[in-house]
Amino acid sequence: MTATRVLVLNSGSSSLKYQLLDMRDSSRLATGLVERIGERTSRLKHTVLTGGTRETTGPVADHAAALKAVAEELGRDRLGLDSPELAAIGHRVVHGGSSFTEPAVVDDAVLAEIERLVPLAPLHNPANLTGIRTARALRPDLPQVAVFDTAFHTTMPESAARYAIDVRTADEYRIRRYGFHGTSHAYVSRQTAKLLGRAPEDVNVIVLHLGNGASASAVRGGRCVDTSMGLTPLEGLVMGTRSGDVDPAVILHLARVGGMSTDEIDTLLNKRSGLTGLCGDNDMREIRRRVDEGDERARLAFDIYIHRLKKYIGAYYAVLGRVDAIAFTAGVGENAAAVREAAVAGLEGLGPAVDADLNAARGDEARIISPEGARVAVAVVPTDEELEIATQTYALVGAPHDLT
């Protein structure tokens, strides 16, 4: 018998999400979240497949303390970090720049490069680094694998990845379109092909990852050829609190005429824009409730959201030339039937259509919601970024040791 378990860690600035999976059947043995790290009201919620959920509250000083607490909870279920069945720890890393086109086993050089990329993801990469360093300290003998949100998008051609600015300036400051949510886009594009009964290399898919953060990708034969997010996760679709696409001169105007500082503009575009900026809510369920009650601000916010979404669908039709499926995923994409219906409405001439009954039906499985015979399938495909990270991690390290 070989080591077949992978622990997936997703370290945020004040949180630590984790899942322990057995790669023999991709089953989840345990999942959990430590939130409000560094505060007096920290909380650890731990769920084990066979034993229910436990919650503890109390101060958790830092990520090192958080991971130690996670290890203790896992140990109570005989799933601890010291288990010989643990093959590796996989870490979500948001920004891999142009350096990392695939997962990487962490060593000092990899850590240094992730550190060098911090200016491109100042809110995310430092937290990711903390999680990696903490895990290495606890299990220095165990392979640690970094799986990058940006890696799936490194297959974009230069014509899609480059901004039309001075090349020397762009190269000096590493300004280009990197894209994000890559593990989700990779997973969903493959699962969509599977749903169609075809090989990924034979399928062209538009993937719409619609959560509080939202992004679209054009995937040709399993490879990303364009995506909506750019240098940062701010570009592209209308999101919960982020503006998505704006004229760059808006920033100059706010600085020159509005007297706003760089930090104030950053806060405006990332935290006070999108659906929140338009109507005061970033929860699509609440927005739809307000729309149904006749709230005009909510209606306008919804219409702007859908208008931007349709523009990207149309653009990616042009990029791909042939589209076999449009796949909706993530919190909004998987659960908001009204968004799916509105995004596809009027595009019937291009091939996609939504069956009202299939679209309204809820479920946890991947499913087709277009009518039989539609030229372009419309699908709902639940994303599973943790499984994707675990799969990529295990594929890279294999089984490091035998348990017999």
Side-chain angles (χ1 to χ4, degrees), residues 249-280:
V250 168
I251 298 167
L252 306 178
H253 180 80
L254 291 173
R256 291 170 179 163
V257 179
M260 295 176 68
S261 68
T262 302
D263 287 344
E264 288 172 328
I265 296 171
D266 187 283
T267 298
L268 170 70
L269 296 179
N270 278 290
K271 298 181 179 179
R272 296 197 292 113
S273 294
L275 293 171
T276 293
L278 290 167
C279 72

Side-chain angles (χ1 to χ4, degrees), residues 187-200 203 205 366:
Y187 177 83
V188 171
S189 60
R190 284 202 318 275
Q191 292 301 307
T192 302
K194 182 178 179 180
L195 192 60
L196 298 178
R198 297 165 64 181
V203 176
V205 186

Side-chain angles (χ1 to χ4, degrees), residues 287-306:
I287 291 171
R288 285 304 309 173
R289 183 192 65 77
R290 290 171 55 186
V291 169
D292 292 341
E293 293 178 354
D295 187 312
E296 288 303 317
R297 283 187 64 195
R299 166 57 67 184
L300 179 60
F302 183 80
D303 288 348
I304 292 171
Y305 182 95
I306 295 299

Side-chain angles (χ1 to χ4, degrees), residues 4 21 27 35 76 174 220 234 249 309 354 374 397:
T4 58
L21 298 96
S27 61
E35 57 185 348
R76 290 175 61 183
R174 293 170 289 174
R220 177 185 293 128
L234 181 59
L309 195 52
V354 166
V397 304

